[in-house]
Amino acid sequence: MKPMGAIPAEFREAPLTIGGRPVSDFTAQTPVFVYDFGMVAGRIERFRAAFPVVDLHYAVKANPFAPMLAAMAPLVDGFDIASGGELAMTDNFANQRSFAGPGKRDAELEMAIRAGVTINLESAGEADRALAIADRIGFTPRLAVRVNPEFELRGSGMRMGGRASPFGVDAEQVPALVKRIIAAGADWRGFHIFAGSQALDVAAIIDSQAHTLDLAERLANEAGTTPPLVNLGGGFGIPYFPGETPLYVEAIGATLMPRLSALPETRFAIELGRWLVGEAGVYLTRVVDRKESRGETFLVCDGGLNHQLAATGNLGTVVRRNYPVAVATAEAGTPTETVTVVGPLCTPLDRLADQVELPAARPGDVIAVFMAGAYGLSASPVDFLGHARPAEFLTGDTQIPRA
Ligand SMILES: *Cc1c(COP(=O)(O)O)cnc(C)c1O
């Protein structure tokens, strides 16, 4: 038997309910993703309470499901987008938008400039192209500079700073670029500094934010100007694996707030993806076959890495570990057994859970894979092997007003 991550507290009853509804409400067709917006709204409220003077931006790439964006729009200040596609998906909302990501094409830059989106410049070359396009179409572009910092967010699952990088302008080149942008007549919007992702260490995040503020202050001084906005990145992680615990964001806010309040001329934003939506999502896949092979029991399901790549350990992990899973249809008290849960793809990589202890399940039962709300369907190879695209549902209270 191997351990698995902890099931989020909201889902620990058996049989499983999501947003107060039984799983059978969603499983006429499987596999499906179900997102409990009540949980997302709860995270947003926690953020607001912990970071009262900080704008909250949602990083759309974590989960671009249209009803999720529509429910999120009235509750967050901004959407952070990373492509022309995400730009189009967010066109109907009044939120501020900023556009980060390397390799923005001319057509994407033009759409963003026309829509008044802040472009987080990833290089001097991108700045040149944005300025030339703005000049050609007669718009004043909103430009911020993404900084490739000299430091990295310690302990983050995905480090984005402290080295050569396709992301952001190396810190030492930033002041000259800021001066050039301002001289060219652009609306300079400030700095974007993203030092890492999936961090669960409060002290490391506090440290990284302090470094971010020091760096923003130093670069602004060198450029001889005050940044209207500093996007502090985020990197708040969620506990996927055994031994990991939820992030105590209140401690981060309590440390950060006094320092930000002392800088009244600059607005600050934190951009979050997985912390807002990751735990709220459940991937539901039905057991099609149960087989024994050389002493191991396999539950073969109708979906796997084609929809939930990250749970199989194939999205940026070095050592495969088990996400939390459950038999959604099991009654409390069902005897348990050790099983391996696999998907239907013809590859040994398609393993949703390896030798975990679960209530005994049969074909027709439904397996729940938790932590599926971020980087799930949109970050998986959906067309690989030609299975049908799974449905997605947003459930729970989507009407919770902003405090
Ligand atoms: C992906 C991304 C995010 C969101 O990261 P999470 O780990 O989902 O919070 C935020 N900012 C930038 C620049 C990103 O590329």
Side-chain angles (χ1 to χ4, degrees):
M1 207 254 287
K2 293 183 182 170
M4 60 169 142
I7 295 172
E10 290 85 347
F11 298 121
R12 282 185 198 155
E13 64 211 288
L16 178 67
T17 60
I18 306 175
R21 293 170 63 178
V23 160
S24 55
D25 279 9
F26 308 106
T27 52
Q29 302 279 335
T30 52
V32 293
F33 283 86
V34 187
Y35 313 114
D36 176 3
F37 195 76
M39 286 175 68
V40 177
R43 296 293 182 278
I44 294 172
E45 276 177 37
R46 259 184 83 190
F47 180 90
R48 295 292 185 194
F51 299 85
V53 301
V54 178
D55 283 357
L56 175 59
H57 290 190
Y58 175 54
V60 170
K61 78 175 188 290
N63 186 330
F65 183 46
M68 176 73 84
L69 298 180
M72 192 86 87
L75 304 185
V76 299
D77 302 294
F79 283 119
D80 284 338
I81 56 174
S83 70
E86 291 186 353
L87 182 84
M89 285 176 207
T90 51
D91 263 342
N92 290 332
F93 308 118
N95 307 67
Q96 346 159 3
R97 288 183 289 175
S98 49
F99 184 3
K104 299 180 194 75
R105 286 170 253 177
D106 286 357
E108 293 174 306
L109 290 171
E110 181 173 337
M111 279 194 292
I113 292 167
R114 286 185 187 279
V117 171
T118 296
I119 296 168
N120 292 330
L121 296 168
E122 305 278 353
S123 72
E126 193 171 271
D128 291 337
R129 288 192 293 124
L131 288 168
I133 290 165
D135 204 37
R136 175 167 58 74
I137 64 177
F139 277 65
T140 302
R142 293 191 171 150
L143 303 179
V145 176
R146 180 168 178 181
V147 182
N148 176 28
E150 304 93 334
F151 56 87
E152 62 188 9
L153 174 48
R154 272 187 292 119
S156 65
M158 222 172 288
R159 288 172 304 200
M160 308 286 282
R163 57 185 74 188
S165 172
F167 310 108
V169 178
D170 291 348
E172 53 281 15
Q173 294 166 13
V174 167
L177 182 61
V178 170
K179 284 184 193 163
R180 189 149 71 77
I181 291 167
I182 294 172
D187 180 6
W188 181 53
R189 302 303 304 148
F191 296 121
H192 176 213
I193 305 177
F194 182 70
S197 190
Q198 180 48 23
L200 287 170
D201 179 345
V202 165
I205 294 175
I206 289 173
D207 236 44
S208 162
Q209 287 180 340
H211 282 123
T212 298
L213 289 168
D214 292 343
L215 177 60
E217 220 163 329
R218 176 161 63 76
L219 296 176
N221 282 338
E222 285 173 25
T225 174
T226 303
L229 181 80
V230 175
N231 181 330
L232 297 167
F236 295 6
I238 54 176
Y240 291 101
F241 300 117
E244 293 181 342
T245 50
L247 193 62
Y248 184 38
V249 296
E250 288 75 9
I252 303 169
T255 311
L256 186 64
M257 276 315 107
R259 184 150 178 209
L260 297 192
S261 305
L263 299 166
E265 283 165 48
T266 299
R267 286 195 73 79
F268 293 92
I270 287 180
E271 51 181 1
L272 298 175
R274 80 182 75 226
W275 188 81
L276 293 177
V277 296
E279 289 161 288
V282 185
Y283 176 61
L284 299 169
T285 176
R286 197 177 296 279
V287 179
V288 175
D289 192 17
R290 176 192 166 98
K291 65 177 280 192
E292 314 284 329
S293 170
R294 304 221 159 99
E296 267 193 61
T297 301
F298 290 88
L299 300 176
V300 186
C301 298
D302 58 7
L305 78 70
N306 50 333
H307 305 153
Q308 189 39 12
L309 184 68
T312 65
N314 293 297
L315 184 67
T317 38
V318 180
V319 180
R320 194 202 169 290
R321 291 174 292 174
N322 287 319
Y323 270 41
V325 298
V327 180
T329 39
E331 297 293 335
T334 307
T336 62
E337 58 182 6
T338 299
V339 293
T340 290
V341 181
V342 301
L345 304 198
C346 305
T347 162
L349 299 177
D350 193 6
R351 196 168 277 240
L352 288 168
D354 188 31
Q355 298 175 56
V356 290
E357 188 173 1
L358 290 180
R362 297 273 167 279
D365 277 318
V366 174
I367 302 291
V369 181
F370 298 96
M371 317 303 282
Y375 307 107
L377 185 55
S378 67
S380 299
V382 184
D383 291 333
F384 189 37
L385 270 83
H387 291 278
R389 187 185 171 84
E392 296 173 276
F393 295 101
L394 188 76
T395 184
D397 188 355
T398 58
Q399 304 302 318
I400 298 165
R402 184 170 158 187

